[in-house]
Every structure is written in structure tokens, then in C-alpha cells.
Amino acid sequence: MKRRRVLALAGGVVAAAGCLGQENTGPGGPPETESESDGVPDSDGDAACGKTAVPRTLSQHDPHPEYDKTTVTVLTPAGAERDSVTAAIADTSSLRYTGLSDTESLPFDRGMLFVYNSGGERTYVMRDMDFGLDIIFVDENREITTIHHAPEPGPDENGENQTYSGYGQYVLEVNIDWTTANCVVEGDVLEFELPDD
């Protein structure tokens, strides 16, 4: 299985996240899929976003049964709901270090929410990932500061040179192009509850 590491750079301290986790067991059957192509206007009313058909792998199993979960809903600055995912919570150094490295695929309605004690500049690396991600950096006020579309490394690449940086106290990882399909943009706000909220 491929592995990935995520480096967090905050105040000169480097913490690794993303590999050396336990093997993930797959589902009992093939995933259900469907295509999404309905155009949802973004906050400026642009109906062009979300018109690209994006394959959706829907949840038939929990890819991260050992993690606490939360529903992460993305809202426009005006409070309109864009979409939501069920996210595994990576809120310890050990869980952040494992990250999605042991996940072979991710249903379209799932993600992982990385939680830090405070905001900071962080860099994520797509080292040996099995699939592409949208990497969403979110500040202390839960506002999206940066969105990166990080493709899966090529067959002869290990992803070492694929680095994605941003400022945040939280980082949400979802399937690549999830933000495009749902018209999610910088300035949108995440709504979620953590176990200690």
C-alpha cells in the first residue's frame, strides 16, 4: 500500500502526519457510484461552477472506523449551505501522522479533518498517495483561507515534490474536485462540532 506524509510547519516546529498507520480493511462489496452535474451557483451567482460531472463514490462502509467523526458543512459567507461530508477527526499527533496514508479510496461524501491547537502555516505533501485530494486550509474562525487541488502522483512519481501550503488551525481533506463540484471557495465557512466542543 502506498504511504503519504504530511508536514506541518508552525512557528519553526515540524510535525509529520500521514504515514505508518494501520492497514485499512476494505468494504465487503463494490462502491456505489453516480455522477454529479447539477450547477449550484457560487456566492457571486456564477452557475458555471459545479457543472463538470464528477464521479461520486458513496459511502457503503466506514473507511476509518477507529476515528471519532463529525459532519463538516460548508456554508457561504451569507449562510447558505453548499454541501457536507462526514469527516474522520485527526486531532492527535499520532492520528495526524497516519492521516489518509492507509486509505486506498475515499467515498465522495467522506473526508478527514486535521485539528491543531492553534493556527499556523502548514505544508502538506502528497507522498505516495493512492488518489488525488482537495486540501482545504481553515483558520481559527473556521473560514477557508486556501484550497489546493492535489492530483495523485504519477506512476513513476512518489509525490515528494507535490507540496501544498496554507494557513490554518484546521485542514480538511476530501476527494479531488469536491470543492469544484460544490462551488466551495476561499472565504466560505466550515461548520462542525468537535468532541470537546
Side-chain angles (χ1 to χ4, degrees), residues 18-31:
C19 76
L20 299 179
Q22 299 176 357
E23 287 295 316
N24 181 45
T25 57

Side-chain angles (χ1 to χ4, degrees), residues 6-193:
V6 179
L7 300 179
L9 304 176
V13 176
V14 178
C19 76
L20 299 179
Q22 299 176 357
E23 287 295 316
N24 181 45
T25 57
E32 178 182 337
T33 59
E34 68 180 38
S35 179
E36 177 176 301
S37 60
D38 48 332
V40 179
D42 66 13
S43 57
D44 297 323
D46 180 7
C49 72
K51 287 203 178 237
T52 304
V54 175
R56 293 179 60 121
T57 304
L58 303 178
S59 298
Q60 289 188 342
H61 74 288
D62 183 354
H64 305 103
E66 69 279 13
Y67 287 75
D68 287 333
K69 311 287 188 311
T70 189
T71 299
V72 179
T73 303
V74 181
L75 304 172
T76 67
E81 184 176 329
R82 294 204 190 274
D83 204 354
S84 61
V85 294
T86 300
I89 300 171
D91 59 355
T92 66
S93 58
S94 175
L95 293 177
R96 288 191 299 262
Y97 187 80
T98 300
L100 290 170
S101 64
D102 283 343
T103 307
E104 292 180 12
S105 65
L106 193 65
F108 197 77
D109 59 345
R110 296 287 182 147
M112 183 166 282
L113 181 66
F114 296 81
V115 178
Y116 296 88
N117 291 329
S118 61
E121 290 294 327
R122 308 191 191 283
T123 297
Y124 278 51
V125 180
M126 290 291 289
R127 191 170 296 122
D128 295 327
M129 274 297 295
D130 288 327
F131 53 92
L133 295 170
D134 279 356
I135 303 172
I136 305 166
F137 293 85
V138 181
D139 70 13
E140 298 88 341
N141 299 315
R142 300 186 179 184
E143 181 177 324
I144 296 174
T145 60
T146 307
I147 298 172
H148 292 288
H149 305 288
E152 173 186 353
D156 297 324
E157 300 174 352
N158 63 12
E160 287 280 346
N161 60 349
Q162 289 179 243
T163 61
Y164 302 92
S165 298
Y167 178 88
Q169 180 172 349
Y170 310 97
V171 177
L172 178 65
E173 291 185 344
V174 291
N175 275 297
I176 193 165
D177 293 328
W178 183 89
T179 55
T180 303
N182 292 295
C183 305
V184 174
V185 294
E186 293 174 9
D188 284 349
V189 178
L190 269 56
E191 185 176 81
F192 55 85
E193 290 185 15

